[in-house]
Each structure stands twice: as C-alpha cells, then as structure tokens.
Amino acid sequence: MDWLEDMIDRLFARRSSLDQSLLLYLVIGVLAVVFATLITVSICVSWERLILMPDAQDSHFWAYLSWVPSKKSLLSIRILEFIRHYAVFVYGFLGIYFATTVFYRKRILQPITILEKSIEQIEQGNYQHPIYYNTYDEFEKTSAGLDHLRVTLQENQKRLHELYHDQKKVNAAFSHDLRTPLTTIQNNLELMEAYYEQDRLSPETFDKAAGKIKNSINRLTSFSETMQQLQKLEDRPLHKTVLPLNQIEEHLLELRQHRPEKDLQIIKEYPKITASYDSDLINEVIENLLNNAYRFAKNKITITITLQEKLLIIYVKDDGPGFSKKELLTATEPYYSQNKNSHFGLGLTIAEALSQKHGGNLKIANSIDGGAIVSAVFALND
C-alpha cells in the first residue's frame, strides 16, 4: 500500500484538520475499493466465460458485469461466482482497515510520539528543546499549548534561580550585618563584667560601653525593620490604572519644592498620552533614586522622562563622584552602601525590585562628563 501512502502524502501537502483528514482517507479507501472490485469482477466474469463459452465472441466490457453463468456450473464457476459477489465486502474491510491504519500512523501516532518525547524532556527539567508539529490540526494547537507551557516553566525556573541567588545574597548580607552589632554587644558586656569583677567599673567606662551597646541595639532594630520591608516588597501587589503620563512629572515638581537644597532639572521627552501603570510604585522608585542622588550630588540633579514604544524610562543623573568599578557590580545588592554606619543601602535594591515587578529593570552607569546615572524601566499598557 505504499502507492496509497504516497498519494495521500501529496494530497495532504495542504493543511487540514483531523476530521477532514479522516474523511479524505476514507474517500481514498472507498475509491480504491471500487476500483479493486471492478477489476476483480471483470476478471472473474472473463474466466467464467472462458470456461463456459470458450468459442463465444467478445462482448463489450460492461456486458461482462451483467452476464450470469448457466446452472450447469462447475466448481470453478461457483468459486469465481462467490468471489465476484463477495469481493466488495472483503475489499471494503481491507480498504477501511488500511485507510484508518495509515490515518492513525500519519496523523495520530506521529504527533503523539512527538508530544510524549517532549513531555519526557519537561519531566526531566529540560526546557531547552522547542515543541513544534507543523500541521494545521488539533495536534498542532496542542503542541503549541505545550510549548507555551514549556516556555512558562523555563521562565519560572529562571525566575526561581534568580530568586534563590538573590536570597543567598540577602542571607549573606544579613549574616554580615548581624555579626557586627552582636559582636559589639558581646565585647562590651564582657568588658563591663570584667571591670565589675575587678571593682574598676567607673561611670565613664559604663557610659561608654552602654552607649556602644545601645547603638548596636538600634542597628539590630533597624535591621529587623528592613527585613520586614523586604518581605512586604515581595508580597506587594501591582495596581495598574489608566492615568495621564504627566502625573509622574507633577509628582516630581512637588518633590522639587520640598527639597530646594539641590538644583533638580526635569526633562520631558514623551507625548501627552494616557497609559496603564502603577503610579504609587513608580513614584516610590523615583523617590528612592532621588534620595540616592541627593546624597551624592554636588549641586545638580537631572531627571529625564522618555517613552520608547511601551516602555517608560526614567533617567536620574547627578554631578557627584559616580560609581566605582566595584560599586557598578554591587550597588543594587541588599544592604550595599558607601557608608554602612549610617545607611543599610536598600534604596537601589528596592528600586530594582519594584522596577522588575512592573515588568522592567534598573541599570546603573557613570556619565561621560562625570557623575552617576541610574535608569529605571517600566512596562506600560495602553
């Protein structure tokens, strides 16, 4: 039946659904049954005539089909007559069998095999191989859905890996920041205990040690608050509403009025449009970036608001010393700060996390003419 499969492959060069494919396979099978039945009947009738009427003149082909042998038939005539009468049923069974077999092998078994192998890859955690079945039928739609699931799992795996990596960095920062105040408390308590046992604990020594213990306790309190702040940040939902984009500029103008100690310039590079975004989240990112810029700027801070397709980009530039090479790699890590004694360094960390929650990211760099540049990107919906 290779000729039948080749014919079907040529017919299925155009895409079709499974029900259309099955109908076409059955139609081809029925045509093959009709053709085979006509040939078989013609041959049987010809042999019957040769046996009973060897000297008869040739008749038209269609006369063979209607010719009835005489009652004095021999056993061979009866066999030929049986074949002639029941060949259509045998061919019908064989035609349906081969049509459905070819349909199952070509249109059912092949995509199922592809999907099974793909599911095995997904079960093993291998999300690199795309799932593709190029026919416009239900299995192509199923493979497309499975491939979408693969991409989603791949993205979730990547996100979990990033969260695990970030959590490790946060834990390392927590351990480092906890160790210092705890060591200070322990050392000063041991010092006070030793001086007390020797009856040498003067008021000055006590006040000095108690002051260090109090400062360390304050640091631990701040540390606890920042841990709660990070946890709230992870659980914070995203509330997007359709608002004019210039509300961000209006918020910046209010901030400039409250902080006149530095020259804050606002550059607007976007049309007058409305978009769907979380204004509170974006404003919080801006405030964190501005707090960082006000700390290090000498005199001037420039904020540029621009729009690229569906991305809102906010640049915050200051005329301060900029970032060192190490700071360019670690400035957004939790608890990084140039002055660890007075600041836990969460500003850029929070800004980065909120930008990512809004479908964007945060990048830091140094300006060509000096100073630091921090850009926050947010995904907008029309």
Side-chain angles (χ1 to χ4, degrees), residues 356-369:
Q356 292 174 351
K357 186 176 285 290
H358 210 292
N361 54 52
L362 188 82
K363 295 182 179 180
I364 62 174
N366 287 323
S367 175
I368 299 176
D369 52 354

Side-chain angles (χ1 to χ4, degrees), residues 4-149:
L4 179 59
E5 294 186 19
D6 293 338
M7 181 190 302
I8 292 175
D9 289 337
R10 288 194 294 269
L11 288 173
F12 281 102
R14 298 179 60 185
R15 296 180 173 184
S16 58
S17 59
L18 288 178
D19 55 349
Q20 294 173 342
S21 301
L22 179 59
L23 179 61
L24 184 55
Y25 276 99
L26 292 176
V27 169
I28 294 174
V30 169
L31 292 177
V33 168
V34 172
F35 180 76
T37 302
L38 291 176
I39 296 298
T40 301
V41 170
S42 176
I43 293 174
C44 290
V45 170
S46 299
W47 277 98
E48 289 174 4
R49 291 198 60 184
L50 288 175
I51 294 173
L52 296 177
M53 298 179 295
D55 298 331
Q57 295 181 353
D58 294 336
S59 301
H60 193 270
F61 171 78
W62 294 105
Y64 293 161
L65 301 180
S66 60
W67 178 79
V68 179
S70 64
K71 295 181 180 180
K72 299 179 180 180
S73 302
L74 301 174
L75 179 61
S76 58
I77 297 299
R78 291 185 179 277
I79 294 175
L80 292 173
E81 185 180 23
F82 178 83
I83 295 174
R84 180 159 54 88
H85 288 164
Y86 294 99
V88 62
F89 300 104
V90 176
Y91 287 139
F93 173 77
L94 293 176
I96 294 175
Y97 172 77
F98 282 110
T100 53
T101 300
V102 174
F103 171 78
Y104 172 76
R105 188 168 66 250
K106 293 288 186 180
R107 304 306 297 269
I108 303 295
L109 184 59
Q110 182 179 356
I112 286 179
T113 303
I114 294 174
L115 294 178
E116 285 180 347
K117 292 181 179 179
S118 301
I119 291 173
E120 289 178 1
Q121 294 289 333
I122 293 176
E123 289 178 347
Q124 295 172 4
N126 185 4
Y127 309 123
Q128 304 301 323
H129 300 285
I131 304 169
Y132 185 67
Y133 181 69
N134 187 20
T135 54
Y136 192 72
D137 59 16
E138 290 78 359
F139 281 110
E140 181 176 355
K141 298 175 183 178
T142 302
S143 65
L146 189 59
D147 189 67
H148 178 71
L149 175 63

Side-chain angles (χ1 to χ4, degrees), residues 316-365:
V316 179
K317 179 183 178 301
D318 62 64
D319 59 351
F323 296 102
S324 66
K325 291 183 179 180
K326 180 181 179 181
E327 291 162 0
L328 289 173
L329 300 175
T330 59
T332 58
E333 293 184 358
Y335 301 107
Y336 171 81
S337 175
Q338 287 183 332
N339 185 2
K340 286 273 187 175
N341 294 326
S342 61
H343 191 265
F344 276 83
L346 276 177
L348 293 179
T349 304
I350 293 175
E352 183 182 45
L354 293 178
S355 300
Q356 292 174 351
K357 186 176 285 290
H358 210 292
N361 54 52
L362 188 82
K363 295 182 179 180
I364 62 174

